[in-house]
Amino acid sequence: GFQRVLWGLVKKVVVADRIGVLVNQVYADPAAYPAPVLALATYLFAFQLYLDFGAYADIAVGTAGMMGVKLRENFNWPFLARNPAEFWSRWHMSLTTWFLDYVYAPMVRSVRNESVRAFVPTLAVMLLVGVWHGAAWNFAAFGLFSGLTLVIHHGARRVLPWGRRGIFGDYGWSGPLATVLYFLGVNFCIALLFRAPDLPTAWAILSRIFTGPWIWDEWFTPYLAVILILAAFHVVRGTLMADRKGFALPAPVRGAFWFGMLMLILF
């Protein structure tokens, strides 16, 4: 349990808060930065949000574990998701489960029209999820956008002949491709809507990213490297956890590792 608390503090204090320094600087004056910086800052915020929130869950689970209480996990490597339904089954699982049980299920049972039942409860619930994060139009847009992606995903699986294969279905070879496309596209839009102070700013950032100019400076490279390292760690660790595998390191090595993590937290 204490190791879990330490790991949560590393994610929050060492990684997420340091990422936040750059993200806050860029989003404080987005017009002053070129398109590559805006894109990198938005992808970095996606990791900041996950690491920040996931760290709180780690600390809570670890603290409870030290007192003999087993709490449920709240995140399950969400950036490995291949579609919206899988993402929301991996992200903030306590909240999404509550909304499914106490809001979505009663709404579905109360709607008799099959066409309405296919999309209205989903949009309504995701709108509530968005507003739950804050009473602002960008959070409402984040909820509606998330709901639309879920509706499109379920509709494609039901209607398209290749919907149960390909990127909408049961995957196979296309699984890693679906994961990359979902993160680059949908998670980018979610992060943008979540971080932008308002909808006009979000639209201005999105327009600037797509219209450019895309001028690349050498100092952008370290931030891209940070994103790639975080993504690689997420994939490797998440895959090992899914396969119930781990690294059986000698006790002195583990001790040195946790001592190093403690020093990082202190510094």
Side-chain angles (χ1 to χ4, degrees), residues 130 134-144 190 192-199 202:
W137 285 113
N138 59 308
F139 288 119
F142 145 72
L144 285 175
I190 289 175
L192 176 61
L193 290 170
F194 208 95
R195 182 58 183 83
D198 49 55
L199 285 178

Side-chain angles (χ1 to χ4, degrees), residues 11 113 134 229 235 238:
K11 288 162 69 174
N113 187 296
I229 290 170
V235 169

Side-chain angles (χ1 to χ4, degrees), residues 155-170:
R157 279 180 62 89
R158 183 178 301 180
V159 175
L160 298 177
W162 42 269
R164 295 189 178 278
R165 299 186 296 276
I167 62 172
F168 292 104
D170 299 326

Side-chain angles (χ1 to χ4, degrees), residues 60-71:
V61 171
T63 305
M66 286 191 285
M67 295 185 287
V69 178
K70 183 174 177 60
L71 295 182

Side-chain angles (χ1 to χ4, degrees), residues 34-260:
V37 176
L38 295 175
L40 289 175
T42 304
Y43 283 119
L44 279 173
F45 176 72
F47 278 104
Q48 180 195 351
L49 184 64
Y50 164 63
L51 291 168
D52 198 83
F53 207 171
Y56 295 142
D58 287 334
I59 294 168
V61 171
T63 305
M66 286 191 285
M67 295 185 287
V69 178
K70 183 174 177 60
L71 295 182
R72 64 169 294 172
E73 297 293 336
N74 209 24
F75 292 90
N76 182 24
W77 308 100
F79 292 154
L80 298 182
R82 299 166 292 188
N83 59 61
E86 190 176 348
F87 176 81
W88 287 105
S89 70
R90 291 170 173 261
W91 179 277
H92 201 350
M93 295 185 289
S94 57
L95 178 71
T96 52
T97 302
W98 189 91
F99 270 104
L100 279 173
D101 291 342
Y102 294 103
V103 182
Y104 179 79
M107 286 183 69
V108 169
R109 288 195 295 268
S110 66
V111 176
R112 299 188 179 277
N113 187 296
E114 186 173 350
S115 299
V116 174
R117 189 167 60 227
F119 66 90
V120 170
T122 300
L123 290 176
V125 167
M126 293 311 298
L127 177 61
L128 288 174
V129 169
V131 176
W132 179 86
H133 287 88
W137 285 113
N138 59 308
F139 288 119
F142 145 72
L144 285 175
F145 174 79
S146 301
L148 283 172
T149 60
L150 283 167
V151 169
I152 292 170
H153 167 71
H154 290 306
R157 279 180 62 89
R158 183 178 301 180
V159 175
L160 298 177
W162 42 269
R164 295 189 178 278
R165 299 186 296 276
I167 62 172
F168 292 104
D170 299 326
Y171 310 109
W173 66 268
S174 61
L177 175 62
T179 298
V180 171
L181 292 177
Y182 186 81
F183 179 77
L184 291 179
V186 178
N187 276 335
F188 173 84
C189 294
I190 289 175
L192 176 61
L193 290 170
F194 208 95
R195 182 58 183 83
D198 49 55
L199 285 178
T201 303
W203 178 252
I205 292 173
L206 191 63
S207 301
R208 190 173 179 85
I209 289 173
F210 277 98
T211 58
W214 273 75
I215 304 170
W216 193 268
D217 274 323
E218 291 182 0
W219 64 274
F220 301 165
T221 305
Y223 300 118
L224 178 60
V226 169
I227 294 174
L228 294 177
I229 290 170
L230 290 171
F233 185 86
H234 194 77
V235 169
V236 173
R237 186 76 191 276
T239 304
L240 289 173
M241 294 292 286
D243 294 338
R244 299 291 191 268
K245 296 178 182 177
F247 296 107
L249 296 174
V253 177
R254 294 201 304 273
F257 171 80
W258 287 111
F259 179 77

